[in-house]
Each structure stands twice: as structure tokens, then as C-alpha cells.
Amino acid sequence: MRSLRTGLPLTALLSGIAMLGALLVTAPAAHAADAPLRDLADAKGKVMGTAVTGSKLTGTYGEIAAREFNALTPGNAMKWGSVEPTRGTFNWAEADQIVAFAEAGGQQVRGHTLVWHSQNPSWLTNGTWTAAQLSQLMNDHIALEVGRYKGRLATWDVVNEPFNEDGTYRQTLWYNGLGADYIAQALTAARAADPAAKLYINDYNVEGVNAKSTALYNLVKSLKERGVPIDGVGLQAHLILGQVPSTLQQNIQRFADLGVDVAITELDIRMQLPSDSAKLTQQAADYKAVVGACVAVARCAGVTVWGFTDSDSWIPDTFPGQGAATPYDENFAPKPAYDAIAEALGGTTTPPTGACTATYSVTSQWNTGFTGQVRIACSGAALSSWKVGWTYGAGQQITQAWNATCTQSGTAVSCSNASYNGTVADGGSVTFGFNASWSGSNPVPVVTLG
């Protein structure tokens, strides 16, 4: 959719306290993932992509783009206004550069975008066209651009942003000139130009179940029933901090149930500046939730972030006072969001020593039972989720837990965060408690990594 901005060891303590470095701790500007994001995504059969600016694909920017992502989307280079600024005069340089870069690195390319109301050349938008002429212009443009990269691009965002917020069709050059069936026409033309490419309709504010996403759902259902070529739906996911739709996974699943793929195509999560550790922790939780929802649905093809670094993000120019929306800061340092994505893809990270600790204590005890508590606190790091474990040495048995999900198998206990308290900000803490039985003695266990 949007333009990219151009230009842990463990130590057992005395007095019945045990400490740990929790799994997946990430300092705000440091990480040590066990594998690049693209390898984690490959292992899940998913795409982990990023939008890129071709002129920046050198140095650190190019290294990260190649190392961390298995798919690239040209941020602007394939839009009609970029490739044909003057009628009949074409500029494929940046688009070709991105495709070549991706092919050299074994990455997919997502073509973006063919038919849209924005970033069109002035000669097109200012022209006076009959329906027949407009139809021919669209068909010719699709045939030319898709044909140029035939067999080389995995997917195309064929039609971008066709709906208003209330689910009515957006009044555009295409809708006004050709009617709602311009969408079916564009998809059919794209299939003819490259039968192997996956064809998508892409839109924003359709991540949760709402009027707009329901209109998109009904359109896709109708296209499928009519035999119009449609392979996928793109949910852009330009989100606001703390506002991941609760129905995201449900919505992904309902589109998948229509027999199409779903992709998160333009993910960024913006915040009011300046950023701080609490905001970055919330952002990490949000990124984890989005990627996790995709991982949970078999037909969710993957996730693309709309630029991986804040230095290449469209947000500050469009939303003054907001930004810090991507997984890397402007100096290419990964944020907690990076590790949250890795975690959602099944990866782990190495914690900074002592940055987050867990303290086990017995708060009350009687002849057959006791109440215990574990406090997880962070200083110099933040958590987007947590998991702790220990082994009882005298036959203790947990009977009840709160503010955590605890399971016990034999002597081994494992506890993980509840849905509402997984995030621990730098300087913050959470606690959970439990009741357990004991007999004879109640030695304090050593807490270990989950």
C-alpha cells in the first residue's frame, strides 16, 4: 500500500530464592537469535518478507535484507507511476534491481501493485477515457508488467485497496470508469500474463472482522464462485500500538476457508514518539501476536513487514509525531519486536546475563500444604512472554495456580504466562502464585529456563 520513505548461567541463592534468565529476553537494542528470520520462516513453510527501496540495497541495509528475509516487495518501484511516468516511456531500473537482488539471494518477490487508485502517472489520472479505452489501458499495463517478470515473481498484488471503510466500493478511476467488475478483469488479465504467479487482492483495515473485511470476504467468495482467478488475500496490517484486532486469527481463517491463501503484506506497528521501553515491549507483544496468528493458520502464507528499519518507513512522513514502527531502529539495531517475531516463528534468543530474574518464595505453609509465589522482574531488558520451570525434590505437588498456566509431570513443573501478563517492561515485574502439597520437607527448588 504505502510508500516507503525514500531517500543467560543460573545461580541458586540462599534463603530459598532461585534466579533465572528467562527465555526470549531481549535487550531493547540487542539480540542473539538462533537463526535468521528467513530460516525460521522456511522451517514453518512461511514467508518472512520485507518491503525494500532498491537504491538502499547495499551495505548494512542490503546485508540485513538478504540475511533476514526470504521475500522482498518493491516499496514503490513497480507502481504504475514509477514504471511509466510518461505514456510509452518506461523506467524498469529499480524494479529490475530488486528482482535481481532477490534472485541472487534465493528470495521470492511480491509484485506490488498493478491496479490502484494512488501513485498513478498524471497522464493516466488526468486523461479523459472511454470505458473501452480505460479497459485497454489496464489490460495493456498488466500484460506488459506481469509479462516482463513472467516466471520470476511468486505473487502479485493485482488490485489494491478497492473498498471504503464501510464496505462500499471506493470511487476510483477504475470503479467509476469500468464498474466493480474491473477487479475480475484485472485478475483475469494477470492470470493470462503469468499463469504461475499467485494473484492477490490487497487492502488495509481488513485485519479483523469488520464491515470492510466482510465486503472483501464477500467479493472473494463471489469471484471464486464465478471462476475468476483469485489465489489470495493480502491484509496490510498498518497497525497502531496495542491495537491488534482480537479477531485477526479468526479473520485469517475465514478467508482461508474460502480456499484462498492469506498474507500479512505490509505490517508495521506505529507508536507516538518518543519510544520508550514500555512502548517497545508492547510493540514486541503486538508483532508476536500478528505473526503468531499467521503461523497458526495453515493457509496463511506469511508476513511481510513494510520496511524493516525506521530509516525506511513511511510512517513519520504520513503521521507526524508517530513512528518507530518497524523491527529495527534507524541505526539498524534490532528492537524487542525482532525477537518477538523470531519467537512467533519458533526461534529462541540468548538472554543478557541477569537482565531478567525469577524469584521463587514460599509465602505461607501449613501441615500439608503451602502457597508459593514467583516474581519475574526485568532490568536492562524486556519480555514479550515468559516461561519458568523447576524440579521438586521432596514430592511436592501443585494443586492450583493463578496468573500463570502451570503443569506438573512427575517432579517437573513448567509455568508460562497467562494471555494478559506475558509482557514485562524494562524495570517492570509480574508475579504468579500457586498452592501445593508437601509432606516431610519442602526444600526450595532451583528455577531453570523454560
Side-chain angles (χ1 to χ4, degrees):
M1 165 192 168
R2 304 303 178 189
S3 300
L4 288 169
R5 183 194 290 179
T6 53
L8 200 13
L10 301 173
T11 303
L13 300 182
L14 300 175
S15 305
I17 296 176
M19 317 246 336
L20 70 93
L23 180 64
L24 298 166
V25 181
T26 62
H31 73 100
D34 61 352
L37 297 180
R38 65 181 291 173
D39 292 355
L40 298 173
D42 285 339
K44 293 286 187 181
K46 302 291 185 181
V47 164
M48 185 66 231
T50 183
V52 293
T53 298
S55 61
K56 299 182 180 181
L57 286 172
T58 60
T60 303
Y61 182 99
E63 291 167 5
I64 295 173
R67 181 185 70 238
E68 297 291 340
F69 303 99
N70 58 12
L72 301 181
T73 300
N76 291 302
M78 289 184 177
K79 293 169 181 173
W80 200 332
S82 297
V83 301
E84 194 181 5
T86 302
R87 190 175 186 184
T89 300
F90 299 91
N91 181 1
W92 301 104
E94 187 185 1
D96 286 351
Q97 176 191 15
I98 293 170
V99 173
F101 183 95
E103 289 175 336
Q107 298 165 298
Q108 295 183 14
V109 176
R110 181 181 196 91
H112 179 83
T113 180
L114 295 169
V115 179
W116 191 23
H117 67 271
S118 184
Q119 290 185 252
N120 288 313
S122 59
W123 64 263
L124 176 64
T125 56
N126 294 335
T128 301
W129 316 105
T130 66
Q133 290 171 326
L134 193 59
S135 177
Q136 192 65 52
L137 283 166
M138 185 175 74
N139 286 345
D140 289 348
H141 172 67
I142 293 171
L144 179 67
E145 184 157 7
V146 178
R148 180 180 183 85
Y149 299 107
K150 181 180 181 181
R152 300 174 70 188
L153 268 61
T155 53
W156 278 99
D157 291 326
V158 178
V159 175
N160 203 38
E161 302 174 2
F163 290 106
N164 294 314
E165 298 304 298
D166 63 358
T168 58
Y169 281 100
R170 185 191 292 268
Q171 305 293 303
T172 69
L173 172 71
W174 309 110
Y175 179 81
N176 293 337
L178 301 175
D181 231 30
Y182 84 90
I183 297 171
Q185 180 183 336
L187 290 162
T188 301
R191 174 67 86 235
D194 188 349
K198 296 273 192 164
L199 309 180
Y200 277 68
I201 300 173
N202 192 51
D203 215 327
Y204 66 95
N205 288 354
V206 292
E207 297 77 31
V209 176
N210 55 36
K212 192 174 187 179
S213 66
T214 297
L216 180 57
Y217 175 90
N218 290 333
L219 170 62
V220 173
K221 184 173 184 289
S222 173
L223 292 170
K224 291 282 288 183
E225 290 170 347
R226 293 167 54 192
V228 175
I230 174 70
D231 301 303
V233 171
L235 315 180
Q236 291 184 11
H238 293 293
L239 303 176
I240 300 171
L241 189 71
Q243 296 185 24
V244 176
S246 60
T247 52
L248 174 60
Q249 185 175 326
Q250 173 191 342
N251 193 41
I252 294 172
Q253 187 65 61
R254 73 165 174 164
F255 279 105
D257 290 344
L258 287 177
V260 295
D261 294 337
V262 183
I264 306 295
T265 54
E266 305 183 20
L267 175 63
D268 49 32
I269 302 175
R270 64 186 183 269
M271 63 182 70
Q272 197 69 34
L273 297 174
S275 66
D276 57 34
S277 61
K279 292 176 184 176
L280 293 173
T281 299
Q282 180 63 57
Q283 184 184 58
D286 291 347
Y287 266 97
K288 181 183 176 185
V290 174
V291 178
C294 180
V295 170
V297 179
R299 289 205 71 152
C300 185
V303 175
T304 290
V305 293
W306 202 245
F308 62 85
T309 170
D310 292 340
S311 65
D312 198 34
S313 172
W314 68 293
I315 295 295
D317 293 338
T318 307
F319 300 95
Q322 299 183 56
T326 75
Y328 287 77
D329 68 18
E330 293 191 349
N331 298 313
F332 303 113
K335 304 175 190 173
Y338 173 93
D339 290 305
I341 295 170
E343 180 184 353
L345 292 171
T348 59
T349 57
T350 302
T353 302
C356 287
T357 61
T359 304
Y360 179 109
S361 60
V362 175
T363 59
S364 65
Q365 184 170 298
W366 55 98
N367 58 347
T368 59
F370 67 97
T371 297
Q373 177 180 280
V374 176
R375 177 176 183 267
I376 300 165
C378 291
S379 178
L383 292 170
S384 60
S385 67
W386 47 264
K387 184 177 180 181
V388 297
W390 62 87
T391 299
Y392 278 129
Q396 301 99 316
Q397 291 285 327
I398 288 183
T399 57
Q400 179 187 14
W402 51 93
N403 297 330
T405 301
C406 294
T407 59
Q408 183 169 354
S409 177
T411 61
V413 177
S414 177
C415 297
S416 57
N417 63 272
S419 61
Y420 52 83
N421 65 353
T423 59
V424 185
D426 186 0
S429 67
V430 298
T431 62
F432 69 89
F434 56 90
N435 290 330
S437 63
W438 70 288
S439 177
S441 64
N442 189 18
V444 171
V446 174
V447 183
T448 62
L449 289 170

